[in-house]
Amino acid sequence: PKGFKSQSPSLKLDAVEGQIAALKSPATNVRHVAFTKLKEQGKAAIRPVSAVMESSNSYIAARAVWLLAQLGEQGTQSVRVWLESEEASKRLVGLRALRAANADLIDLLSTMSHDESPAVRREVAVAMRDVPLAQSKNILVELAKRYDGKDRSYLEAFGIGCDGKEADIWVALKKILDGDAMAWSDKFANLTWRLHPTAAVADVQQ
């Protein structure tokens, strides 16, 4: 507007209060500096960052969750609270934050594969991509059972999770979902199309 002069807020990044204020900034570079400085403090930053997690602004709260996941075991435990939220978006953010922190999540992912939210289960599916068959098979089968036969994003996420394991997963699904090639459901047909294993050729030819 005419006569308007923008002013950058004064932030004291050498103090926790200033770092927390910067973490709330809409400017990516500003909040990145705050994120880095708070992370360097380790456990000392857990309490003030946890307070930010209670913000009514979902974006700011998510930034706190993302940071807490990288502040050791105590921070991780704070993030896990979101995994029990009634809001699917919070469960999804919590799971993504823990994945980004490279935490050992196989047991958690197994539990989250039963989540009622397709978005959360899609995240679990993608997380299975680099997990060996022995650890991921039961989780992927559970995710396939909960596929509604229509959600294309879910189907693609499932396919990504099965990367390198398509043949084994398809055989397991065939035993559970559809044994008769002449009576495949749309659900199993879609899963077969996405996995496209060699073992399915004979059935498809029918």
Side-chain angles (χ1 to χ4, degrees):
K2 185 176 181 180
F4 174 79
K5 293 183 179 181
S6 63
Q7 292 184 333
S8 299
S10 177
L11 297 171
K12 298 180 180 180
L13 293 173
D14 57 344
V16 174
E17 293 77 7
Q19 293 164 6
I20 292 296
L23 187 65
K24 300 177 180 180
S25 171
T28 304
N29 61 318
V30 173
R31 62 176 182 262
H32 173 72
V33 172
F35 188 102
T36 302
K37 288 183 174 294
L38 286 165
K39 183 178 178 180
E40 290 173 351
Q41 295 185 44
K43 292 183 179 180
I46 291 177
R47 179 174 293 180
V49 175
S50 294
V52 179
M53 196 170 75
E54 303 301 322
S55 172
S56 59
N57 184 314
S58 60
Y59 296 99
I60 291 176
R63 293 174 201 166
V65 171
W66 208 264
L67 176 54
L68 284 167
Q70 301 186 37
L71 294 180
E73 182 61 27
Q74 189 175 345
T76 296
Q77 291 304 316
S78 297
V79 173
R80 284 177 177 265
V81 173
W82 270 34
L83 299 180
E84 301 174 2
S85 171
E86 293 183 357
E87 298 179 41
S89 59
K90 285 189 174 182
R91 299 197 301 275
L92 180 60
V93 169
L95 183 56
R96 285 178 173 172
L98 291 172
R99 284 192 63 211
N102 297 314
D104 182 7
L105 301 177
I106 194 64
D107 291 337
L108 174 61
L109 291 168
S110 179
T111 299
M112 300 300 283
S113 68
H114 296 79
D115 197 279
E116 64 180 21
S117 168
V120 173
R121 298 199 306 275
R122 288 198 301 264
E123 188 68 18
V124 174
V126 172
M128 292 295 101
R129 182 183 59 182
D130 300 318
V131 179
L133 178 66
Q135 295 175 284
S136 63
K137 181 178 179 180
N138 291 339
I139 295 175
L140 288 166
V141 168
E142 181 62 33
L143 292 171
K145 288 162 62 176
R146 293 174 179 272
Y147 168 51
D148 66 3
K150 302 176 182 178
D151 189 333
R152 296 174 64 182
S153 295
Y154 191 103
L155 181 63
E156 180 59 23
F158 179 76
I160 291 173
C162 292
D163 186 39
K165 307 180 281 280
E166 292 91 346
D168 294 290
I169 298 300
W170 185 80
V171 170
L173 295 180
K174 183 180 179 183
K175 294 177 181 178
I176 297 172
L177 299 179
D178 283 281
D180 183 1
M182 300 302 292
W184 281 2
S185 63
D186 289 341
K187 172 179 177 176
F188 187 64
N190 288 343
L191 289 168
T192 299
W193 171 84
R194 180 57 182 83
L195 298 179
H196 53 272
T198 303
V201 172
D203 286 344
V204 171
Q205 287 179 331
Q206 295 184 45

